[in-house]
Amino acid sequence: MAPQLAWIGLGNMGRGMCANLVAKGNLDSPLILYNRTKSRSDALSTKLGPSKTKVASTIPEAVGPSDLILICVGDDAAVNSTVDAILSQDVTGKTIVDCSTVHPDTTNALEKRITAAGAAFVGMPVFGAPAMADAGSLVCVVAGKGDAVKKVLPYTDGVMGRATIDFSNQPAGNATLLKVIGNTFILNMVNQLSEGHVLAEKSGLGVDNLHTFISTMFPGPYTAYSQRMLQGDYYQRSEPLFHIDLARKDARHAKALADASGSSVKGLDVARARLDDVKEHLGDKGDIPSVYGAVRKESGLEFENGK
């Protein structure tokens, strides 16, 4: 029989990942769902089908009958408090998988705590936007003891993701180390797109002409983010896809890693300041491509390109 799965944390990414587990994971029993705000669990269960999901009211209720527990929450504090609740009961023989983006020191500490309690642990952050989570086309990064990673792999390629970067038998924190560094690529990409579009607008080339170049030379994420900027999605969206607070958290982790290792990350320093400007201007509506608005404002333009 397939293991009993439980999922903790139903944000923008978690909901899509759960939908693909239910649809393509060959589960023998309903996926157990837990979210701090229970109404979100109830809504997803209704959408996916009550026969395919079961809502838990507490973390211990979700963990008790489960063999494989996946976590996807917002930050290091949330992960630690979730694991505190999980370890309040006997977890011997269970496998706990953290899909959150946290500092690698946090992941390595979790691995020590969880394995000391008799459970296995896998770090498994993912690359991709919520639309990729919905489509099951994420890139999953797995790290931890080989036997533990093997229990997770049936649910990565072809289920939640399109590819897996496998760091079996490496410290679990190597997965989140890659994730944090990888997210600096996304932030710097957004930074460069923002500067390019502002320069194109102010120099007379025009943003549409630059977008034609971007979509021809860099199809994929560059084109998608460029389009979101030009259409004004970066300030119009009520629920951000990559919340500004999460982006700032990831950038802080990257900066801490750089400082600890003596690495120069001047591009990251510039981007971090712009994330702070976005937070000040848009508050909780801030999204990572909202950096475009910050660059516009620095250049004497309105933050919002529709004004």
Side-chain angles (χ1 to χ4, degrees):
M1 291 182 63
Q4 172 65 62
L5 269 61
W7 189 281
I8 299 173
L10 298 172
N12 283 341
M13 300 296 290
R15 294 194 297 271
M17 294 166 80
C18 285
N20 281 291
L21 281 173
V22 167
K24 298 178 286 186
N26 295 316
L27 306 183
D28 289 337
S29 52
L31 175 65
I32 298 175
L33 304 173
Y34 172 80
N35 192 72
R36 184 177 58 181
T37 304
K38 184 172 177 289
S39 59
R40 185 167 284 184
S41 300
D42 292 334
L44 184 62
S45 180
T46 299
K47 178 181 178 181
L48 299 181
S51 65
K52 297 180 180 180
T53 56
K54 179 181 178 181
V55 173
S57 299
T58 66
I59 290 176
E61 182 184 333
V63 171
S66 300
D67 306 300
L68 185 66
I69 300 102
L70 298 102
I71 306 167
C72 189
V73 294
D75 57 26
D76 302 56
V79 172
N80 281 320
S81 64
T82 298
V83 171
D84 287 343
I86 291 173
L87 296 183
S88 68
Q89 59 193 307
D90 183 13
V91 294
T92 303
K94 299 181 187 294
T95 300
I96 299 167
V97 182
D98 185 25
C99 304
S100 315
T101 301
V102 295
H103 194 288
D105 288 352
T106 299
T107 305
N108 287 329
L110 290 176
E111 184 174 33
K112 290 180 180 178
R113 288 181 63 201
I114 289 168
T115 55
F121 178 75
V122 177
M124 197 193 82
V126 297
F127 287 103
M132 294 173 68
D134 294 342
S137 59
L138 298 169
V139 174
C140 304
V141 187
V142 290
K145 298 296 184 183
D147 289 345
V149 170
K150 286 180 182 178
K151 296 177 182 179
V152 181
L153 293 179
Y155 307 104
T156 57
D157 289 12
V159 181
M160 293 186 290
R162 63 174 176 83
T164 300
I165 298 173
D166 190 344
F167 292 165
S168 291
N169 294 314
Q170 296 185 32
N174 277 10
T176 40
L177 180 55
L178 176 64
K179 173 61 173 173
V180 170
I181 294 174
N183 274 5
T184 68
F185 282 57
I186 297 170
L187 181 53
N188 285 322
M189 172 186 67
V190 168
N191 205 44
Q192 183 60 61
L193 284 169
S194 300
E195 291 181 351
H197 275 309
V198 169
L199 180 57
E201 180 173 347
K202 297 203 72 173
S203 68
L205 174 66
V207 294
D208 291 337
N209 283 341
L210 183 62
H211 182 73
T212 298
F213 161 76
I214 292 165
S215 59
T216 303
M217 289 291 293
F218 308 112
Y222 273 86
T223 300
Y225 274 109
S226 175
Q227 191 168 35
R228 289 185 64 195
M229 291 173 182
L230 299 189
Q231 291 178 345
D233 179 82
Y234 71 92
Y235 67 89
Q236 294 172 349
R237 180 178 291 275
S238 58
E239 183 178 4
L241 297 178
F242 194 150
H243 197 287
I244 193 64
D245 288 341
L246 298 182
R248 294 167 79 207
K249 176 259 299 178
D250 293 352
R252 284 195 303 272
H253 287 336
K255 178 61 174 173
L257 289 167
D259 289 346
S261 62
S263 303
S264 175
V265 286
K266 291 182 179 179
L268 177 62
D269 292 337
V270 171
R272 287 182 69 216
R274 288 170 173 168
L275 291 175
D276 292 342
D277 290 343
V278 170
K279 177 65 176 181
E280 181 178 354
H281 190 89
L282 290 177
D284 282 340
K285 289 181 63 178
D287 206 336
I288 194 167
S290 306
V291 165
Y292 179 42
V295 177
R296 288 176 57 83
K297 191 174 178 182
E298 290 170 14
S299 305
L301 301 171
E302 292 285 348
F303 187 100
E304 295 83 1
N305 64 351
K307 291 186 177 180

